[in-house]
Amino acid sequence: MTDLGGVYTLRPVTYDAYQDACARLEGQVFGGTWGYAFGPSAKTPLPLGETFSWGIFSGDDQIGWQFSHQTDERTVSMADTGILPAHQGRGVYTRLLPHVLDAFQAAGYTLVSSHHRATNNRVIIPKLRAGFLVQGLNLYEGGLNVALTLSLDDTYRDAMHVRSGFMQAHGEAARRLGVAAPPQPDAPPAPVIPLPDDAEPGTDLGGGYTLHRVPDATYREVYAQLESAAYDTVSFDWAGPARLTAPDAPQFAWLVAHSGTVVGWHSSRQWKARTAYMSNTAFLPAHRGQGLYTRLLPFILAFLRKQGYDIVRSGHHATNSAVLIPKLRAGFRLQGLEVAEHGVMAVLIHSFDDVYREYMDVRSGLNRPTGEVARRLGLNGE
């Protein structure tokens, strides 16, 4: 028995006991989701590899379960976790994860996979915080699923970052991938740039940091001087300027300052009639890991909402969980993956419209279409 804090414990159970718990409780746990009902199975199930079954208990009452099974010679799948609604939102899932992952590592697995409905941030966020990385999306009978993978091997985790374009191949990861990047000279220190004279009065971000609206031209001038100091990512080199000009659209730009000097920036622009695009955010390395991005987001979102946008879109390297987590916590939903010039990018969407936010949950299969969402989809809602 493993103590999960408070009244909760995690206990190994037999496979039959796990199936019994599912039969008794899954209607309460997953009753609000929206899946496709296949007919009877045409084939017998594939045999399971090694299995791991746990019961989640509140005192003596079983309130959930976790079931995992081997899928190949190095991968275990966290196939099924359920917690009764009355016990959700209490950090139980976050606290059980380390114990389950320790069991997989002790059993000799290299990779841990899991799948969740793409808008189920309550599960995706603790998984990303535990080290899982976004690996893909697929449509299946339950809706739109996001695939997550945790590597218990540091080198393979580096390789996933290389694949997404988040970092350059080096060391053992480069050798395993069969490539060799040329050695890079040490980057010179970032230039010290005073806050420009045309910056508007600042918004306090806490910790001595302030956010200042600036003209787009000023932002671009600062960006050009600090770009190389802010990014370690690998983008495609077009080897020449674009032949066409960008569409004329409203642009919005801010600089982040500390002690009178620029240490970061954010830019947004209009994407479509209803949509704004958060196109670029960065902080110099010495100013990361202090919650700046989390504190910046509410101001940018409030500004874009005031401009009249219904939706905010953004794209980030699929393995850049340091940005994905605060975005998801702010209400963004994972909506896709695309290969762009900067790498494999996760597409995130935030809606200021409550009905559209519910609509995204319906499309992913997390919720059934009811009420106003059902009406707008031409369905008879409950």
Side-chain angles (χ1 to χ4, degrees), residues 10-26:
L10 184 70
R11 308 177 192 177
V13 298
T14 65
Y15 179 69
D16 288 341
Y18 150 68
Q19 289 189 308
D20 177 68
C22 285
R24 289 186 292 106
L25 303 176
E26 65 181 350

Side-chain angles (χ1 to χ4, degrees), residues 351-374:
S351 174
F352 297 124
D353 184 292
D354 291 341
V355 179
Y356 192 84
R357 192 159 51 247
E358 293 175 16
Y359 163 77
M360 287 191 282
D361 289 335
V362 167
R363 284 296 188 204
S364 79
L366 184 63
N367 293 335
R368 299 180 64 83
T370 60
E372 182 64 12
V373 173

Side-chain angles (χ1 to χ4, degrees), residues 70-76 108-112 150 152 156:
Q70 179 181 0
T71 57
D72 60 36
E73 68 276 14
R74 59 173 56 91
T75 307
V76 59
Y109 289 98
T110 305
L111 302 175
V112 184
L150 171 70
L152 300 173
Y156 188 78

